[in-house]
Amino acid sequence: MEINGKTRVCGLIGNPVEHTLSPMIHNTLAEILGHNMVYVPFLVEPGRVAEAVTGAKALNLLGLNVTVPFKSDVIASLDEIDDLAGNIGAVNTLVRTESGYKGYNTDMEGLYRAMTGEGIRLDGEQIILLGAGGAARAVAYLCAVKGAERVYMLNRTPGKAQTVAAEVNRTVGREVILPMATEEYGKLPEGKFLAIQGTSVGLAPHVDDVIISDDSFYEKIHTGFDLIYSPWETRFMKLTRAHGGRAYNGLKMLLYQGIIAYELWNRVNVSEMDARIVYEKLKGCFIDAD
Ligand code: NAP
């Protein structure tokens, strides 16, 4: 790709950013679609996110993605915030406006596209959500707004699950999220569940770790969706499959959060065919990908 005087710059702000796959997503899309745009990682020191946004504005950057640890802190530096992102309390995408940047949360919509693409439904579902951190909070909100019947939110620190549940339930106006301690999984009701793994347990290099290892838990799962994509198949996924369930990793969530950000920056729709090209390229980064 030729970089010239008209090239627009997008990027990722976070800490760390060295292992990000986002440049592959955006630079591949720019190449396929013929956009004069380049995407680069920017390492931002803790406490300096406001300066980073001011600098981005001064440099007229087209857009930014935001990752750990700035997804909440960045909100104070925005001119506008999308309703969904405001309700979740986390922003992962900044889009240039005349006066500054508008914040969006494409993680949640990305997860939804990834799930619907696999034929996974949320409406009317009984869901087990493992975790109550930043990602799980967004997932809880997604499940609630998409009509889940009940979401059992299990977390190591039950107080955090209680706080998230109370906030999400208040926002959506119904008691849909039920907080529990992880070790209380034996108290889950009878039936089969969609289980979404939203903790960082099992993330590489700790690939043998799993949040719950008891077989009886996996007998309850018809579909397991792990937000982790490295390793390609987490132990949570292996246990789900070993008990007859379908299992998915989080790479398509990553793919679609990127695609939605790209669509917002460039005001285009990315076709499923182009999404597939990017996905295959991302997959090539995982030696154990099936
Ligand atoms: P976070 O805010 O730090 O939350 C971490 C969660 O994991 C909390 O619920 C925490 O429980 C739990 N946890 C951590 N260590 C634990 C342990 N040893 N035992 C039990 N629970 C433990 O992180 P996050 O931003 O929500 O991210 C969570 C995961 O989602 C990460 O693996 C991340 O890579 C993944 N993710 C994927 C995508 C994607 O595009 N696919 C996007 C975002 C995130 P406590 O509350 O008790 O500490």
Side-chain angles (χ1 to χ4, degrees), residues 131-135 155-157 160 198-201 211 227-228 250 253-254:
N155 198 43
R156 172 179 63 178
T157 313
K160 270 205 213 168
T199 76
S200 42
V201 180
I211 185 82
L227 302 195
I228 292 174
M253 173 183 177
L254 179 81

